[in-house]
């Protein structure tokens, strides 16, 4: 069992940066894939990025490539999402999720979810 808690959201102007954190419980955190997803009002929950348990595999949605960077520190049981050059269309609730299987972009295949953190980008 893994529990994840997101933090780091907030209000930022377009062009600014935020770093989200996903803190997890569990002694085997390093064996879990962690994904970031986001959901804007009235829209489906979309894939943003994932990172494999070892950190060796990462992937990004086309909309965030070159702007967002995912990383993890297994010694701290934490995954980070560095978000640069933020745009108003990045506004959403951002969720962290974990799964014991390999990296995949499909939200329904993740087992453990946080409560989400709001990111608002003003123009």
């Amino acid at each position: 069992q893994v529990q994840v808690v997101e933090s780091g959201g907030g209000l930022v102007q377009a062009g600014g940066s935020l770093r989200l954190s996903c803190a997890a419980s569990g002694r085997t955190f390093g064996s879990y894939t962690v994904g970031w997803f986001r959901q804007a009002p009235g829209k489906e929950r979309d894939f943003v990025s994932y990172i494999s348990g070892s950190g060796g595999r990462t992937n990004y949605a086309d909309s965030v490539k070159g702007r967002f960077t995912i990383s993890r520190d297994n010694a701290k049981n934490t995954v980070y999402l560095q978000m640069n050059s933020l745009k108003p269309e990045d506004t959403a609730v951002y969720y962290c999720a974990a799964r014991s299987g390999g990296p995949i972009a499909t939200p329904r295949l993740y087992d453990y979810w946080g409560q989400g953190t709001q990111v608002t980008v003003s123009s």
Side-chain angles (χ1 to χ4, degrees):
Q1 187 92 11
V2 174
Q3 292 181 321
V4 294
V5 179
E6 306 94 336
S7 62
L11 173 64
V12 64
Q13 288 187 332
S17 298
L18 283 173
R19 189 177 79 158
L20 304 184
S21 297
C22 172
S25 65
R27 291 174 293 175
T28 60
F29 176 67
S31 65
Y32 284 79
T33 290
V34 174
W36 284 98
F37 301 85
R38 66 187 182 186
Q39 189 167 19
K43 295 188 177 181
E44 293 185 351
R45 192 168 297 187
D46 291 332
F47 166 73
V48 174
S49 180
Y50 64 56
I51 187 166
S52 61
S54 67
R57 270 184 72 186
T58 61
N59 194 21
Y60 300 89
D62 288 342
S63 59
V64 306
K65 276 181 184 175
R67 299 188 298 123
F68 291 10
T69 303
I70 193 169
S71 61
R72 68 189 297 159
D73 184 341
N74 286 340
K76 296 183 178 179
N77 277 13
T78 303
V79 170
Y80 305 97
L81 185 69
Q82 178 67 43
M83 306 187 297
N84 298 329
S85 302
L86 282 162
K87 304 176 181 179
E89 51 263 45
D90 293 319
T91 295
V93 177
Y94 282 70
Y95 296 91
C96 167
R99 68 188 302 267
S100 57
I104 197 164
T106 309
R108 64 178 175 83
L109 297 181
Y110 282 74
D111 303 304
Y112 308 104
W113 288 83
Q115 81 290 348
T117 186
Q118 176 71 48
V119 172
T120 303
V121 184
S122 64
S123 57

